[in-house]
Amino acid sequence: MTRRSYALYAVGGICGTLLAVGIGLLVGRVFHTLMENRLKKEIVLVEGSRVFESWKNPPPPVFMEFFFFNITNAEDCLNGAKPKVTQIGPYTYREYRYKDNVTMVENGTMVSAYTMKKFVFLREKSVGDPAVDNITTVNIPSWAVMEKMKDSWFRTVVSMFMKTLGSGPFTSRTVHELLWGYEDPLLEKAAGYTPGLDKAFGLMYKKNGSDSGEFIYHTGEQNYLDYGRVKTWKGQSKLTFWTSEESNRIQGSDGSSFHPLLKKDERIYIFTPDLCRTIYMDFEKEVEVKGIPAYRFTPPRSVFASKEENSDNEGFCVSKKECLGTGVLKVSPCRKGAPVVASFPHFYLAEDKYVDAIEGMSPDREHHQTYLDLNPTTGVILRASKRAQVNILMNRVGGFPDTKNLNETVFPVMFLNESVVIDDESAAKVKKLLLISDLVSNFALFIVGLGGIMLIILVVLLFRAHQKKNEVNRIVFTKALYAQPSAQDDTSYCPVGDKGREDPQNGTYIGLTEKVDA
């Protein structure tokens, strides 16, 4: 084989390999796009889809933990002393939730549902018996009445009436009563004058075995980014609690589902009826849950920032005089006027003044941060922890003598931790789906790698063939140079005659003649 032939073979082999690599990249890209499109089509809220049944009846167990703050110096606090509290908890409940009355609406482009919740107490995961353990805390019904009557000329009469009923700024109740409700003497009397007013009060009153209203969701069929996005809540496409269009906007999902193919630079919006508003979360870091990769999203400080820190939050001020600082949100507009304030546990991410005002606060990121760990490919929740604190705004209220020595304080009542981790069966399904997705995504790399190996093999074979050719040529040349005549040869080269040996004109004459044996 000539050098030119080797060169042609080499060029042809390299071109073929590069062509194979190019085709592999193209095919890999096509397969990757097909896989993405398949995910977009299968992760939709319609009957028969991959996620519809688990959306209606989530298999992973959800746990709700309640932690209460017990005040140890209530009398001193009424005289102006700094409140001292101790944290008691958790009191843990298994939360069973499912979607009820699921109905396809608007020609199948939307789905309507009610999220039902039921709570069952778990003694083995709790510090005590909620029916026995007592907590001394602020008397929320009394503060709600004082807040409502603070600008009324009738407030002095109400104050005396409260005195006769023993309804002061603080109360002692069992954990069960504080959570699930008790008949309050003040509310019982007020109900006689106010039609529709409940006689009972509880932080979770009427929330066991109930729903938070009708939600209408986008199915995600028309646009995968709309998967699970809330369109309306209780028939409203926007809220009416706040003072700006931005603050009243309903955005994002309800926190139970998220669209697939998440990116690190996107902001996740969640509408939560408990806070009467939409909050948002940003990417924090990559984590792993049961061997599955996840992106962790958390709410930044700007969510509850003051209007000075974040001008977008000005609409959450109840009024210009009732605009609190960073880290707290007054939600009285959606709590029948009660001076309820929301925050993260122990005033995590809040201004120092709220932490310093209460002895016993110790904000800690690990225990008080709210987060979502989402698989970026599928959008599935792998692990989550929703942590929120209920507080009461205490201050001096004219006409109510018991409050005359109080300083304005955001007093912590309790905080909750609603958590979930994906179950093993669901995790196995996600892993299987991700394995298929990874194989498709890495197909191009496989082809490129295969093409590289083929190129290396081709180079090695050409090199070895070239070496072999050189070796053959060297041996032939050596044999020709050192070969001697043999007796077995039939012919030989020899000079012919004396003349041929010495021919001055022509040199030595070589003739081919038969060798005659002597």
Side-chain angles (χ1 to χ4, degrees):
M1 186 181 291
T2 66
R3 291 184 179 179
R4 184 177 180 184
S5 299
Y6 276 113
L8 289 175
Y9 274 112
V11 172
I14 292 172
C15 290
T17 302
L18 292 176
L19 180 62
V21 170
I23 293 174
L25 289 171
L26 179 61
V27 173
R29 182 59 184 170
V30 170
F31 280 177
H32 182 72
T33 302
L34 290 174
M35 187 63 188
E36 285 190 352
N37 291 335
R38 181 183 176 187
L39 280 172
K40 293 174 184 177
K41 289 180 180 179
E42 291 195 2
I43 301 181
V44 291
L45 297 179
V46 295
E47 287 286 354
S49 72
R50 183 184 293 270
V51 297
F52 196 57
E53 285 304 317
S54 60
W55 176 76
K56 291 193 294 183
N57 296 285
V62 180
F63 298 98
M64 180 73 87
E65 297 176 314
F66 297 99
F67 298 82
F68 286 85
F69 296 104
N70 184 65
I71 185 168
T72 59
N73 65 336
E75 291 299 323
D76 294 338
C77 184
L78 291 175
N79 292 320
K82 183 178 181 178
K84 298 178 181 179
V85 300
T86 56
Q87 178 180 299
I88 300 177
Y91 294 91
T92 306
Y93 293 76
R94 170 73 188 272
E95 179 182 332
Y96 296 88
R97 56 166 68 189
Y98 62 93
K99 297 288 193 301
D100 191 29
N101 196 19
V102 178
T103 308
M104 303 305 297
V105 296
E106 299 189 24
N107 296 322
T109 61
M110 306 283 172
V111 58
S112 169
Y114 294 79
T115 300
M116 306 295 295
K117 294 182 180 181
K118 182 180 179 181
F119 300 90
V120 177
F121 179 64
L122 300 177
R123 181 64 183 86
E124 68 276 9
K125 291 181 176 289
S126 305
V127 297
D129 187 344
V132 175
D133 297 351
N134 276 282
I135 303 292
T136 300
T137 185
V138 291
N139 191 341
I140 297 179
S142 292
W143 282 99
V145 170
M146 288 189 285
E147 180 74 12
K148 194 170 185 65
M149 302 300 298
K150 65 181 181 181
D151 296 323
S152 172
W153 63 271
F154 200 54
R155 60 192 178 190
T156 304
V157 176
V158 173
S159 176
M160 291 187 294
F161 184 64
M162 289 173 62
K163 198 79 171 178
T164 60
L165 293 174
S167 297
F170 294 97
T171 186
S172 291
R173 296 284 178 177
T174 66
V175 169
H176 183 85
E177 288 176 323
L178 290 172
L179 282 176
W180 308 111
Y182 61 92
E183 288 195 359
D184 182 81
L186 180 59
L187 293 179
E188 189 176 0
K189 294 294 183 183
Y193 303 96
T194 308
L197 182 67
D198 278 314
K199 299 178 181 180
F201 167 79
L203 295 166
M204 298 289 289
Y205 182 57
K206 291 185 176 180
K207 291 186 178 181
N208 196 352
S210 64
D211 63 81
S212 54
E214 181 195 26
F215 281 82
I216 292 182
Y217 307 89
H218 290 264
T219 62
E221 274 194 304
Q222 295 176 318
N223 186 344
Y224 79 99
L225 294 174
D226 288 335
Y227 168 72
R229 183 166 66 85
V230 177
K231 183 184 181 184
T232 63
W233 173 60
K234 292 184 175 180
Q236 297 179 317
S237 59
K238 62 180 181 179
L239 306 173
T240 57
F241 302 126
W242 311 108
T243 59
S244 72
E245 286 290 326
E246 180 68 24
S247 300
N248 281 318
R249 187 175 298 172
I250 295 176
Q251 293 178 271
S253 74
D254 64 352
S256 65
S257 57
F258 299 91
H259 70 77
L261 307 176
L262 289 163
K263 298 179 180 178
K264 292 180 180 179
D265 59 353
E266 70 177 289
R267 174 166 279 180
I268 291 177
Y269 290 89
I270 300 172
F271 171 67
T272 168
D274 293 333
L275 292 176
C276 315
R277 61 163 289 186
T278 297
I279 66 168
Y280 52 84
M281 295 187 179
D282 293 334
F283 172 81
E284 182 186 69
K285 61 181 179 179
E286 293 186 24
V287 295
E288 189 175 280
V289 182
K290 294 189 176 182
I292 305 172
Y295 289 170
R296 173 162 291 184
F297 289 86
T298 64
R301 177 183 168 97
S302 58
V303 171
F304 287 155
S306 65
K307 65 178 183 179
E308 287 76 21
E309 280 191 36
N310 183 2
S311 58
D312 292 338
N313 287 345
E314 187 171 359
F316 293 115
C317 296
V318 178
S319 67
K320 290 185 178 180
K321 294 181 179 179
E322 295 179 279
C323 204
L324 302 178
T326 293
V328 294
L329 172 70
K330 191 173 183 180
V331 294
S332 55
C334 64
R335 291 292 178 266
K336 299 180 179 179
V340 179
V341 176
S343 71
F344 294 119
H346 286 252
F347 300 111
Y348 174 68
L349 296 182
E351 292 180 39
D352 290 339
K353 66 179 182 180
Y354 297 113
V355 178
D356 297 338
I358 307 292
E359 187 174 322
M361 295 291 98
S362 54
D364 177 74
R365 178 179 180 178
E366 181 181 354
H367 297 101
H368 303 141
Q369 181 189 52
T370 291
Y371 64 85
L372 277 169
D373 292 342
L374 306 176
N375 175 252
T377 302
T378 62
V380 171
I381 300 173
L382 302 179
R383 181 172 55 200
S385 189
K386 169 186 165 186
R387 292 155 171 163
Q389 183 168 294
V390 177
N391 312 276
I392 294 295
L393 180 61
M394 300 195 314
N395 51 22
R396 299 183 186 92
V397 182
F400 296 90
D402 286 344
T403 67
K404 64 181 180 180
N405 295 320
L406 288 175
N407 299 312
E408 182 174 289
T409 307
V410 179
F411 187 90
V413 178
M414 71 94 172
F415 78 85
L416 59 86
N417 177 24
E418 188 176 28
S419 61
V420 63
V421 178
I422 190 170
D423 61 290
D424 292 340
E425 184 178 350
S426 299
K429 292 179 180 178
V430 173
K431 285 181 180 179
K432 183 178 179 180
L433 182 62
L434 292 178
L435 178 61
I436 297 173
S437 177
D438 288 342
L439 288 174
V440 172
S441 299
N442 293 327
F443 180 76
L445 295 177
F446 172 75
I447 295 297
V448 171
L450 186 60
I453 293 172
M454 290 171 60
L455 181 60
I456 293 172
I457 293 173
L458 176 64
V459 171
V460 170
L461 290 176
L462 288 173
F463 179 74
R464 291 182 64 183
H466 184 68
Q467 274 190 325
K468 187 174 181 180
K469 179 186 176 185
N470 289 340
E471 183 66 21
V472 170
N473 290 339
R474 186 182 65 80
I475 293 172
V476 170
F477 177 77
T478 303
K479 285 183 177 180
L481 184 63
Y482 296 103
Q484 296 295 329
S486 173
Q488 287 77 22
D489 292 340
D490 292 330
T491 61
S492 65
Y493 294 97
C494 62
V496 179
D498 295 335
K499 182 179 179 179
R501 291 188 180 92
E502 297 294 338
D503 188 351
Q505 185 176 355
N506 298 317
T508 303
Y509 177 78
I510 301 298
L512 182 62
T513 181
E514 266 191 36
K515 184 177 181 182
V516 181
D517 293 333

